[in-house]
Amino acid sequence: EAGVVQSPRYKIIEKKQPVAFWCNPISGHNTLYWYRQNLGQGPELLIRYENEEAVDDSQLPKDRFSAERLKGVDSTLKIQPAELGDSAVYLCASSRRTGGDGELFFGEGSRLTVL
Amino acid sequence: GESVGLHLPTLSVQEGDNSIINCAYSNSASDYFIWYKQESGKGPQFIIDIRSNMDKRQGQRVTVLLNKTVKHLSLQIAATQPGDSAVYFCAESLSGGYNKLIFGAGTRLAVHP
């Protein structure tokens, strides 16, 4: 079974530029999570989807971050415009069940560097 | 591969020794705890979990201990192997599930031959 696939693996941009990350969850997984991991720290939840609905986006900085999960499968996380403090690894995870019940499987992450 | 973190606390052990990684969690109401392993350039990987109604749980070569009195969690790895070298995170949950995990800061385990 293929794991969670994320792209790009690495992205370097200048501040104020836009950037987008893509996630393909494990087939059949209904819940999708985006986490941000700053250097030397644990991941922090940005947004959680159950199917196509964003059920928890309370920690997503909505002034510059947006996300979508069309058709309840793939998801895109966008930052516009990027700031220096956005440099981090953006992790996508998925789980089979909804309601927070079900082990998380993480992708390898997309590492963003903002110059 | 890239480094997960450059200034994490590091535990150095000899191959074959037992390792103990500690974690202090923040919320006394947390009822579910998970240990994750993160290798360089990879996402976190589930190791073992424990619910708050237990104080010990064993897996294959790993044991998790929970002390709710002092809000402390530990991960014991028996007969540590080079492949165990990674950053280890504890995570706590208030919901009993995976809805909103709160991850700790992480500990780097370095296994020397």
Side-chain angles (χ1 to χ4, degrees), chain A residues 9-10 37 40 48 56 100 102 107, chain B residues 2 8 38 41 43 98-100:
Chain A
R9 289 295 317 278
Y10 306 92
Q37 185 173 26
R48 175 170 64 95
D56 184 357
Chain B
E2 71 243 17
L8 292 168
Q38 188 172 25
Y98 293 85
N99 279 346
K100 190 174 287 188

Side-chain angles (χ1 to χ4, degrees), chain A residues 25-74:
Chain A
I26 294 172
S27 178
H29 280 202
N30 297 311
T31 303
L32 184 147
Y33 305 75
W34 281 104
Y35 280 82
R36 175 169 59 189
Q37 185 173 26
N38 293 315
L39 192 63
Q41 298 180 22
E44 297 175 317
L45 180 67
L46 292 174
I47 189 168
R48 175 170 64 95
Y49 283 91
E50 290 188 356
N51 301 305
E52 67 276 5
E53 181 182 0
V55 296
D56 184 357
D57 64 357
S58 58
Q59 298 185 86
L60 188 72
K62 297 180 185 62
D63 56 336
R64 297 182 301 106
F65 285 66
S66 64
E68 60 182 10
R69 191 184 183 198
L70 299 176
K71 301 181 181 179
V73 181
D74 295 357

Side-chain angles (χ1 to χ4, degrees), chain B residues 49-60:
Chain B
D49 61 356
I50 189 169
R51 298 205 174 269
S52 59
N53 60 352
M54 302 172 69
D55 53 20
K56 180 178 180 179
R57 189 158 189 235
Q58 288 185 290
Q60 187 177 12

